Amino acid sequence: MRLTAIEEGHLRNGMPGTIGIAGLFPADGPPFDLAWLRARVRERWGGLERMSLALRPPAGPAAFTGHRWAVRPFDPAAHIASDDRDLHTLLTDAVSRPLPEDRPLWRLLVTERATADGERAVVLLAHHALLDGRSLETLFRLLMDDAAPPRPSAPGTPPRRRPVRPATVGRELRVIGARGRALPAPAERYAPSVAVVRLDAPVMRAARRQPEAGRGATLNELLLSSFAGALRARYGPLRAWPAGPAPLFGTVPVDLRGRHDAQRLGNGVTALRIPLPVDLDSPVARLRACQEEVAAFDHRCDAHRAILPPLLATARAMPWLAEVMARRLARPELTTSLCTAFKWRDNPSRLHGSTLARVVPLPQLATPGTANLCLVHCADTYTLTVVSHLRDGDAELLGGAVARELASVAACEAPAARPAREVRAR
């Protein structure tokens, strides 16, 4: 079975490609029994073909022949193991190296001393070619004690989409190809780093009520705007950066699955670029600017649904094109930062009777000059993970700066003046 062009691109972009999700559980519970966990995985994932797919290399020249998936017998014992590393070390090592290709590209690790507080963790890692972030979330939910069995995709054709005007498609193509700028880190000192930041829940609740006279803020809007503020605090306004007047783009992965295939595993997201409002002075003004950009996502996704099928069909027929596209999009001036946020909606969730305390995401490591962020709300906890490929330790600095920016948003009492174009849009 041939890989899709998106899957082929994840293999050919020159990076390890490992992503992950971790569930943390209280220290006072009993240790997780590996035999029990393997049985649970076999029960819940054994019928999912995606979890049995192993990679086969191209049969001919790589420029003209793509990789293939081969179905292997489902063997949880080959994928599930205990690990004595703490969570930070485990995640840092995971993003920096590829998973072994002699088996399906996923692993499930259990560490009993994940944090300084003694929390236990179950960590699912996978190559992005096999699974995207939404797939990891779906799989992790299926492991929980009270999880419903996965719903098969609805029969028949997907729902009809509204027509997309050529001008909308053209505008989106210009945004996709627009040159931006990378983060101003010295090239000779690039090094991967990972930070997991536990955000203050009352601060997050207050920030989500901003702007004061508005509808409140989503997690994605808060993450984008607070990241813009963090970059301003760290590097100054854009006019002080090198590379001329180009904007700094943030990239938001958006799931294109619908109700008919909501639990489909694999890769079902697209990426929407927005200019981050680094030059705006006020935290609430930055939030409003990001809300305006996010409000256009539905129509922009319609454009991607029109653009992607012919583009990906062409790239699948010519694997060299998939590689060219993947390596171009991986350049820091094209995809500087992936910013993802989601809410874990099943509360309380339990695994073998232990209550899930919080969820820690693991974005992928991108090319030098980039930083990827993911924010998760689980029960009453908010956790931010930063994976940077800048200077050693920059993930911690960026994570701390985002946390301070969120506190600034939460502390704002009066809404900022709305830009004129936002008034017209409403």
Side-chain angles (χ1 to χ4, degrees), residues 131-330:
L131 301 165
D132 60 13
R134 176 53 61 87
S135 299
L136 295 181
E137 183 186 350
T138 296
L139 287 165
F140 216 76
R141 280 195 166 98
L142 289 177
L143 288 183
M144 299 298 118
D145 292 345
D146 55 354
R151 296 191 305 271
S153 297
T157 57
R160 257 179 121 180
R161 302 289 179 188
R162 51 196 170 195
V164 182
R165 293 183 298 176
T168 303
V169 172
R171 186 164 53 247
E172 190 60 30
L173 286 171
R174 288 192 294 274
V175 173
I176 291 171
R179 185 181 178 89
R181 65 175 80 202
L183 299 175
E188 69 275 7
R189 297 173 60 189
Y190 286 139
S193 62
V194 175
V196 177
V197 182
R198 189 165 183 173
L199 301 170
D200 186 77
V203 165
M204 289 299 299
R205 288 194 293 270
R208 295 190 70 177
R209 291 192 290 270
Q210 295 287 355
E212 192 174 75
R215 57 166 170 78
T218 67
L219 290 178
N220 258 322
E221 293 162 354
L222 279 173
L223 178 59
L224 290 164
S225 64
S226 61
F227 183 47
L231 294 176
R232 181 184 176 89
R234 179 145 175 73
Y235 300 116
L238 287 180
R239 62 181 176 273
W241 295 23
L248 175 74
F249 286 102
T251 302
V252 183
V254 179
D255 193 7
L256 293 181
R257 297 171 180 88
R259 291 183 179 179
H260 70 290
D261 64 346
Q263 293 186 298
R264 174 172 57 86
L265 302 179
N267 281 272
V269 302
T270 192
L272 302 182
R273 301 174 81 202
I274 71 166
L276 293 178
V278 178
D279 277 340
L280 295 181
D281 292 329
S282 159
V284 175
R286 289 191 287 269
L287 176 56
R288 287 192 183 280
C290 290
Q291 287 182 314
E292 182 177 326
E293 295 288 345
V294 172
F297 276 12
D298 280 348
H299 292 292
R300 293 182 63 187
C301 282
D302 288 341
H304 279 239
R305 291 186 179 98
I307 294 166
L308 288 174
L311 180 63
L312 296 180
T314 303
R316 189 169 186 263
M318 296 182 286
W320 63 268
L321 180 57
E323 180 169 349
V324 169
M325 290 168 54
R327 288 185 178 270
R328 173 173 168 76
L329 289 174

Side-chain angles (χ1 to χ4, degrees), residues 24-30 32 112 117-121 354-358:
L24 271 71
F25 299 85
D28 55 3
F32 287 115
E112 294 293 338
D117 296 331
E119 292 172 296
R120 299 167 298 135
S354 291
T355 301
L356 178 66
R358 56 192 177 111

Side-chain angles (χ1 to χ4, degrees), residues 34-192:
L34 285 187
W36 177 88
L37 188 57
R38 287 168 178 153
R40 170 61 60 88
V41 166
R42 180 177 293 280
E43 172 198 349
R44 303 289 175 87
W45 296 355
L48 304 173
E49 184 186 60
R50 193 82 188 173
M51 304 306 289
S52 297
L53 296 182
L55 198 63
R56 288 173 53 189
F64 305 103
T65 310
H67 292 78
R68 290 183 175 272
W69 294 121
V71 179
R72 296 275 184 86
F74 189 76
D75 182 14
H79 294 272
I80 301 172
S82 60
D83 197 295
D84 58 3
R85 291 172 291 180
D86 63 87
L87 184 65
H88 180 267
T89 303
L90 192 159
L91 297 182
T92 303
D93 290 347
V95 297
S96 305
R97 62 187 65 175
L99 292 165
E101 295 185 4
D102 58 345
R103 68 192 75 167
L105 296 173
W106 63 272
R107 294 201 74 189
L108 191 68
L109 302 176
V110 178
T111 175
E112 294 293 338
R113 299 288 296 179
T115 68
D117 296 331
E119 292 172 296
R120 299 167 298 135
V122 177
V123 185
L124 173 59
L125 304 172
H127 195 291
H128 210 323
L130 182 72
L131 301 165
D132 60 13
R134 176 53 61 87
S135 299
L136 295 181
E137 183 186 350
T138 296
L139 287 165
F140 216 76
R141 280 195 166 98
L142 289 177
L143 288 183
M144 299 298 118
D145 292 345
D146 55 354
R151 296 191 305 271
S153 297
T157 57
R160 257 179 121 180
R161 302 289 179 188
R162 51 196 170 195
V164 182
R165 293 183 298 176
T168 303
V169 172
R171 186 164 53 247
E172 190 60 30
L173 286 171
R174 288 192 294 274
V175 173
I176 291 171
R179 185 181 178 89
R181 65 175 80 202
L183 299 175
E188 69 275 7
R189 297 173 60 189
Y190 286 139

